[in-house]
Amino acid sequence: GRQPIHALSQMIGREVIVLTEKAQAHGLLRAFPPEVSALGVLGAVERILYGVLTGERFGDPQDLGARITSLVLDGLRPRDEAEAPPR
């Protein structure tokens, strides 16, 4: 049944939270509830994986890991005026 998948999902969720806590402890991520950020990213990754498996296009699949990492570490906001869109 679904129990092995559920158990795997729970284990991955716990490990992602632990990884997030370690990243925060080392100053790699800002202080933010680790459960929220970790599971938010995990949910997005799961949805993207589902999309890839069902034929949705997300650009080059080999770039997805780097793009998701940049999204998490750099966010979506422009960092300075040179990157900001015209007003």
Side-chain angles (χ1 to χ4, degrees), residues 34-47:
E35 300 82 7
V36 174
S37 62
L39 296 180
V41 170
L42 181 58
V45 169
E46 288 175 346
R47 175 58 184 86

Side-chain angles (χ1 to χ4, degrees), residues 41-57:
V41 170
L42 181 58
V45 169
E46 288 175 346
R47 175 58 184 86
I48 290 169
L49 177 59
Y50 174 80
V52 168
L53 295 174
T54 58
E56 288 183 55
R57 297 178 189 249

Side-chain angles (χ1 to χ4, degrees), residues 16-27:
V16 169
I17 292 168
V18 168
L19 182 63
T20 300
E21 290 169 339
K22 288 179 181 180
Q24 287 178 344
H26 286 90

Side-chain angles (χ1 to χ4, degrees), residues 41 45 48 58 60-73:
V41 170
V45 169
I48 290 169
F58 294 95
D60 186 347
Q62 293 183 342
D63 292 339
L64 281 175
R67 288 180 181 186
I68 292 168
T69 301
S70 175
L71 176 65
V72 171
L73 297 179

